[in-house]
Amino acid sequence: MNALHIDYLELAVTDLPASRAFYESAFGWSFNDYGGMYAGIVGPDGKDENGGMYASETPVAPLPLLRTTDLEAAVAAVEKAGGTITEPPYDYPGGRRFIFTDPSGNRLGVYQPAA
């Protein structure tokens, strides 16, 4: 498994269109739309995404995501180190991921992009 670092950040927003308009106006961000419930934040290179926003009835803490080339090895490493898997690996349009909490209760995710 490769060394992991924070690669993506997800924000829960109560009004996706308003939040998108805010970030477009305030910071010049651009977005990829995914069905009206999710907007990927396009990075400075104009191609890759470095974050996203999803519609939620109540905002929650941002979700940092770590990128890996071996999801199953990352699951094993989190469990061995004392983390708790709160959402086991699942498919999403861009690949596979899982969510975990660290021993202090911080919520993070790990994802493996689709090949």
Side-chain angles (χ1 to χ4, degrees):
M1 179 181 66
N2 58 325
L4 304 182
H5 62 276
I6 295 174
D7 184 69
Y8 199 90
L9 185 70
E10 287 188 337
L11 303 172
V13 297
T14 56
D15 185 332
L16 187 58
S19 295
R20 178 181 169 153
F22 168 80
Y23 287 107
E24 287 172 336
S25 176
F27 305 122
W29 291 4
S30 59
F31 297 87
N32 292 322
D33 290 315
Y34 296 98
M37 297 299 291
Y38 194 91
I41 302 166
V42 178
D45 66 3
K47 300 182 302 184
D48 296 323
E49 292 178 5
N50 57 15
M53 298 185 302
Y54 62 94
S56 175
E57 289 185 16
T58 56
V60 295
L63 178 64
L65 292 163
L66 313 174
R67 182 180 182 139
T68 187
T69 58
D70 188 342
L71 196 71
E72 297 307 321
V75 169
V78 165
E79 291 177 325
K80 182 177 180 183
T84 302
I85 306 300
T86 59
E87 295 181 39
Y90 61 91
D91 295 332
Y92 72 99
R96 297 189 75 226
R97 73 183 195 176
F98 70 95
I99 309 297
F100 71 96
T101 55
D102 69 12
S104 293
N106 293 300
R107 186 173 166 259
L108 292 91
V110 177
Y111 77 99
Q112 182 175 349

